[in-house]
Amino acid sequence: MPSKAYLCARNQSYQRMTGKYKRKIRRGIVLPLQQFINREKSAGVVLGISIVVALVLANSPWSEDYFHLFEHKLGFFFDGETYLYHSLHHWINDGLMSMFFFVVGLELKREFIGGELSDPRNTVLPIGAAVAGMLVPALIYTLLNGGTPAAGGWGIPMATDIAFSLAIIYLLGDRVPLAAKVFLTTLAIVDDLGAVVVIALFYTSEISLINLAVGVIILLVMWGANKMGVKNVLFYGLLGIGGVWVAFLMSGIHATIAAVLAAFVIPADARLSEANYLSRAARHLRRFGRMQPNGISTLAHEQLEVIARMKSDTRDAIPPSQRLEHAMHPFVSFVVMPIFALANAGVSFAGLDASLVFSTNVALGVALGLLLGKPLGILLSTWVLVRLGAAPLPEGLTWRRVVGLGFLASIGFTMSMFISTLAFTDDTMLLQAKLGIFGASILGGAIGYRLLKR
């Protein structure tokens, strides 16, 4: 029978070995992964890889299986009837993408409260550039496709892909001044807001007023709970998903709009103020410091109680909207967006010829709208606002850099692709729109990178 001293020594040796392997795993896998996720450019890199994978699968021997996968239907069956019975592709675009738009809504609310959009006087230039950068592309597309069955695609070239554009500008590092990064970030935020408004007003199907009324009533309940001081995230999650999202999905208004509206009624104030949090944290730390260490790796019950209270106070000191945004952002960036790209970016080039691509002006309208309209609208509006004295050109933001940022804004992949799925049901027009988006986004990103790199 082994002695107690032997068992204790063996246990300590085992703990040292386990700790050594844990430290190796943390240093070799966990920390590098966390650093990659926290980088601004990482989301764009993962999204780019997903696009390449989708294109490879669409043009591989498995292309038929790839396209057929997203045609499978999912839904609910009750008493012989089907409810919310849609294809996997539809669930991705209306379900998963609602999470993306929910995070967009949270980000917009934060920016309006205390971010780049909180003081309009400091954002006149990028807001004006964003508005013109949406209107000029839509005008170019309409000039080429107005009066044709493809006219409804005017919203496609209006959008900017914030993940790709910011990924490229952060790749440039110190070559780009902070003023340029703030300008592009604010522009992209306003652009996202414009895209949400366009989808809500112009890309909806027949509206069921009863379901819409139900969704609005639930939104009002959430807003009232916010004003009454309810901070429970689960409460808002259940009403937002089980109520607002489902009601809007069945009403005919695109479900992603429900996600943005739900985000705007999530409380943006914390249960604990900063001053109260500081005093309580100091009190907890003093109490924890007075406790005698027990000499073993596990904590005493009293120590666990103090730490639990510290964790609870820390949670209460973070506004629910920011807590949700912080928790959901990695999932949206590294799961939702890549899945969306895999489902929508696959374009088969088998049998593709010029007569199919240019049978309408969709591809040309989208490409010119993004590649020409975006930089032109941004540059002209910025020049006019500066010349009129409405806003000064920020220090370090030269006209060459404004042009370069305009070309980065012409990367319209995610939002443009999403709007194209709403604008067209015809497969040929959808294919043409995707080709226009791909061509303009690649060229715009390359040109913008070259201009800003110098």
Side-chain angles (χ1 to χ4, degrees), residues 188-204:
I189 290 168
V190 177
D191 197 288
D192 275 350
L193 179 60
V196 169
V197 172
V198 167
I199 292 169
L201 296 180
F202 302 102
Y203 291 101
T204 58

Side-chain angles (χ1 to χ4, degrees), residues 5 13 37 65 73-74 93 107 123 152 191 193 218 244 251 257 272 277 307 319 337 380 382 403-404 413 416 437:
S13 175
I37 290 173
D65 295 328
K73 289 195 171 185
L74 301 171
N93 287 1
E107 290 174 344
T123 57
D191 197 288
L193 179 60
I218 298 173
V244 181
S251 73
I257 304 304
L272 272 182
Y277 175 68
I307 292 175
M337 299 307 295
L380 287 178
T382 303
V403 176
F413 174 75
S416 294
I437 294 167

Side-chain angles (χ1 to χ4, degrees), residues 14-32:
Y14 173 76
Q15 288 183 351
R16 283 195 299 270
M17 289 180 62
T18 304
K20 181 180 177 182
Y21 286 122
K22 284 182 178 179
R23 287 192 295 272
K24 282 186 175 181
I25 292 172
R26 180 171 175 78
R27 286 196 303 266
I29 299 175
V30 177
L31 286 178

